[in-house]
Amino acid sequence: MIVDASLVVDAICDPGRRGVAARGALGEQPPGEPLIAPGHFAFEIMSALRAAANRPDHPLRPADLPLALQDAEAYEITIEGTPWTDVHRAWELSEQSLRYADAVYVATAERHHTALLTTDGRIERSGAAMRCQIISVLPAESGSLGHAGTAEPTTDE
């Protein structure tokens, strides 16, 4: 399973429903299935955590950042290099309305023939022709955990 930074950041620093849903989705992954992310994942984690800690209304404080990074590390996500084939595929996807960073996650999921687990609903809504399943983790309206939507892979190119 490929995971993106939005999911992990929500899991480690959102005390509300988004965080509950993200933690639940990560916890539901089978123990034998590796969690994988492309190389820019670490940069996105650091950037998002710093941005959250700098917001005056966010519970994460700058002094909490080292522990938050340890919490992210505890999910044992393998960060792999991004091969040029993924860069080229991400470029194609970006031409179809995906942001570059999101397109690299999708390209990685396509290469691994697996799904992308995310809390970023924009990926699923982008309309790009993706060849992997997108599992968008959103908080359930009723307070129970749930996956609000999935986009099935498309084959047109």
Side-chain angles (χ1 to χ4, degrees):
M1 177 78 60
I2 306 304
V3 296
D4 79 354
S6 68
L7 179 80
V8 176
V9 168
D10 283 347
I12 61 178
C13 73
D14 187 310
R17 294 180 325 141
R18 286 182 66 88
V20 169
R23 288 185 294 280
L26 284 164
E28 290 171 4
Q29 298 311 303
E33 179 161 352
L35 298 176
I36 302 169
H40 71 295
F41 173 82
F43 171 81
E44 284 198 316
I45 291 287
M46 290 185 296
S47 178
L49 290 175
R50 173 65 69 187
N54 285 338
R55 287 197 304 268
D57 61 336
H58 199 281
L60 188 69
R61 306 297 348 133
D64 301 328
L65 291 175
L67 182 57
L69 286 173
Q70 289 176 358
D71 290 344
E73 182 182 5
Y75 282 111
E76 298 181 355
I77 298 164
T78 300
I79 301 173
E80 63 178 28
T82 302
W84 282 104
T85 54
D86 286 5
V87 173
H88 292 289
R89 176 63 178 143
W91 182 260
E92 291 172 13
L93 291 165
S94 73
E95 296 288 304
Q96 299 174 43
S97 76
L98 271 179
R99 293 178 6 189
Y100 295 125
D102 295 338
V104 172
Y105 286 108
V106 171
T108 303
E110 289 177 351
R111 178 171 45 84
H112 281 277
H113 305 286
T114 192
L116 170 61
L117 190 59
T118 182
T119 57
D120 185 350
R122 294 174 298 183
I123 297 172
E124 189 176 353
R125 293 188 309 268
S126 73
M130 296 173 270
R131 299 184 298 244
C132 66
Q133 182 182 22
I134 306 300
I135 302 173
S136 295
V137 177
L138 302 173
E141 292 301 317
S142 66
S144 62
L145 293 180
H147 301 295
T150 59
E152 293 301 319
T154 58
T155 54
D156 23 319
E157 248 193 281

